[in-house]
Amino acid sequence: MSLWLERCLTGYFQLMGLTCGWSGSRLSRLLGSSFLVLIMIERTYEIRSYFKREFQDNDGSTSGTSFYFANTVQGVSVGYKLVHALIVGMALVECQRNRRLLEQLPPVRTTPGIYRQLVLEVLLNGYTLVLNAYTCREHPGMFLDCFRIVYSNQAVRARYLQMLLLVDRLDFQLEELLQRMTAKGRTVDYQSLRCDYARLAKVTRSLSQLYGLSILLLNVLCLGDCLIACNVYFMVEYLEILPGSWLIFIQAVYIVVPTLIKIWTLCAACQRCVGKAKDLQAQLKDRPGLLPAERTQIEEFVLQIMQDPIQIDVCGIYQLNLQSLAGMFFFILEALVIFLQFVALVGKSQTMD
């Protein structure tokens, strides 16, 4: 990865409040930490204001169906702010630990997949700003409130990109380890390979511990995104609160699709890392040992891989791979079926009235 791209990504993550500015002088570290503290204060104030605020329907009531659906949308937005505040707090507390992790996973070459994710991130941020400006063109005073909401949403979704870059660096080091073992014409130092593998396994556990909780909450918020899209459909189709237009459809797609793309890319990258560790184990089993001592080292290395596998999990609940993504997809599909049944009941009750 080029130096300018690395600096741009570091600045972007610091702007989103996902990491603390630990590099540079003491003044820069102090300014970076102060910026994170300000974000936490702002997020805490908005969450506190949400629970103190009393939402009302268009007719002033607080018990209508439209009120509950609108309040659900507000609740998901507050969920994003809460997760954002949690990530900022973790960036402050785990600053030194994150620094050591970055030192063990230095920048590597940029793959086409990373470039696609960077382009997607730029498009999402540009689309968010344009849509925010277009929505608030008639009410300029609401621009700051809308910007606060989309800021937390984009910052939380950028967490996927932050972890994806680290997983890509881990994948590169596993690839180097595999190439060192399969290189022809060279004597394999199994002791060195075992030490490097143990280091990568330890780095993988640190990566899971640092990012596991936030990824778990992000996956939960993905279900909230689907709930918002269902609310938009319900309000347009049945309650007729929002006029049906392409703008409403694009907003609903923007809520769900980018998050699903990020989750799919991260799960695929994690499964690729795990697959290379399994390939390493398979190569060792198929590798002939000419001497009994070499065969013993190979068997010990295979046993080490089996006892200390490389896997990226989420708080020990489930592993990040395509199988987990499929389970999440079927869970969302089941929730959508339940929602459509609920919508059909509401439609029948309105017809009877």
Side-chain angles (χ1 to χ4, degrees):
M1 183 179 295
S2 59
L3 182 60
W4 69 269
L5 183 58
E6 178 69 19
R7 289 180 176 177
C8 290
L9 287 173
T10 302
Y12 174 69
F13 293 142
Q14 291 179 2
L15 180 63
M16 291 296 179
L18 305 181
T19 184
C20 184
W22 55 268
S23 60
S25 61
R26 291 184 177 180
L27 180 60
S28 63
R29 292 196 296 267
L30 178 61
L31 292 177
S33 301
S34 301
F35 178 68
L36 295 183
V37 171
L38 289 177
I39 293 177
M40 284 196 65
I41 294 175
E42 177 68 17
R43 300 298 94 173
T44 304
Y45 174 76
E46 292 182 4
I47 295 171
R48 181 171 174 270
S49 300
Y50 168 79
F51 288 104
K52 285 190 172 183
R53 191 184 310 165
E54 183 179 0
F55 297 96
Q56 293 183 352
D57 206 346
N58 293 332
D59 56 357
S61 64
T62 58
S63 59
T65 306
S66 61
F67 161 75
Y68 288 114
F69 277 84
N71 203 15
T72 302
V73 175
Q74 292 287 339
V76 174
S77 299
V78 171
Y80 270 99
K81 295 176 182 179
L82 183 61
V83 174
H84 189 197
L86 176 63
I87 293 176
V88 172
M90 292 175 60
L92 282 170
V93 175
E94 303 288 351
C95 180
Q96 296 297 330
R97 191 176 178 185
N98 189 51
R99 175 183 177 179
R100 291 192 296 267
L101 180 63
L102 291 176
E103 290 176 351
Q104 293 175 336
L105 294 174
V108 296
R109 72 194 191 292
T110 306
T111 60
I114 295 298
Y115 277 121
R116 287 194 293 269
Q117 291 299 313
L118 295 178
V119 171
L120 176 63
E121 198 72 21
V122 172
L123 292 177
L124 285 178
N125 284 281
Y127 170 79
T128 300
L129 292 176
V130 172
L131 182 63
N132 191 21
Y134 178 79
T135 306
C136 303
R137 68 188 187 280
E138 297 180 357
H139 305 281
M142 296 178 58
F143 181 82
L144 184 59
D145 294 334
C146 295
F147 179 78
R148 289 173 177 172
I149 295 175
V150 299
Y151 174 70
S152 290
N153 293 358
Q154 289 301 114
V156 168
R157 290 171 180 171
R159 189 70 165 180
Y160 286 114
L161 177 62
Q162 188 181 19
M163 185 174 180
L164 179 63
L165 294 175
L166 296 178
V167 172
D168 187 70
R169 297 178 184 182
L170 177 64
D171 179 75
F172 181 79
Q173 294 193 16
L174 283 172
E175 181 69 26
E176 285 187 338
L177 194 67
L178 189 60
Q179 290 178 359
R180 284 168 53 191
M181 194 197 67
T182 57
K184 296 181 179 180
R186 294 178 56 185
T187 303
V188 180
D189 187 0
Y190 291 102
Q191 189 64 30
S192 176
L193 290 176
R194 291 184 62 183
C195 293
D196 290 340
Y197 178 85
R199 180 184 60 84
L200 292 179
K202 184 178 179 180
V203 169
T204 305
R205 289 192 296 270
S206 299
L207 181 64
S208 300
Q209 292 172 3
L210 280 174
Y211 291 85
L213 179 60
S214 57
I215 295 299
L216 175 63
L217 295 176
L218 290 178
N219 293 342
V220 173
L221 287 178
C222 178
L223 303 179
D225 291 339
C226 295
L227 183 60
I228 290 180
C230 293
N231 284 332
V232 171
Y233 166 77
F234 187 84
M235 292 179 182
V236 172
E237 185 69 19
Y238 289 92
L239 301 181
E240 298 182 356
I241 296 176
L242 299 175
S245 63
W246 283 105
L247 179 61
I248 298 299
F249 175 74
I250 292 175
Q251 287 177 332
V253 170
Y254 158 73
I255 290 173
V256 179
V257 175
T259 307
L260 293 178
I261 293 176
K262 288 175 178 291
I263 295 176
W264 173 77
T265 307
L266 180 59
C267 290
C270 293
Q271 181 164 336
R272 187 168 59 248
C273 280
V274 175
K276 288 186 177 179
K278 292 181 179 179
D279 290 341
L280 179 62
Q281 181 179 352
Q283 291 287 343
L284 286 170
K285 289 182 178 180
D286 297 337
R287 192 176 184 86
L290 301 180
L291 300 176
E294 185 179 2
R295 192 68 231 173
T296 301
Q297 289 182 349
I298 292 176
E299 292 176 355
E300 290 178 352
F301 196 3
V302 172
L303 183 61
Q304 178 184 355
I305 296 176
M306 295 175 62
Q307 293 179 346
D308 191 13
I310 289 182
Q311 56 186 15
I312 303 175
D313 55 42
V314 178
C315 299
I317 301 176
Y318 61 91
Q319 299 179 11
L320 282 177
N321 49 38
L322 294 179
Q323 184 177 1
S324 300
L325 179 65
M328 183 184 300
F329 173 77
F330 285 116
F331 180 80
I332 293 175
L333 187 62
E334 182 180 358
L336 289 178
V337 171
I338 295 174
F339 175 81
L340 292 177
Q341 292 176 350
F342 172 73
V343 168
L345 291 176
V346 172
K348 290 182 179 179
S349 63
Q350 288 184 350
T351 303
M352 294 177 61
D353 294 339

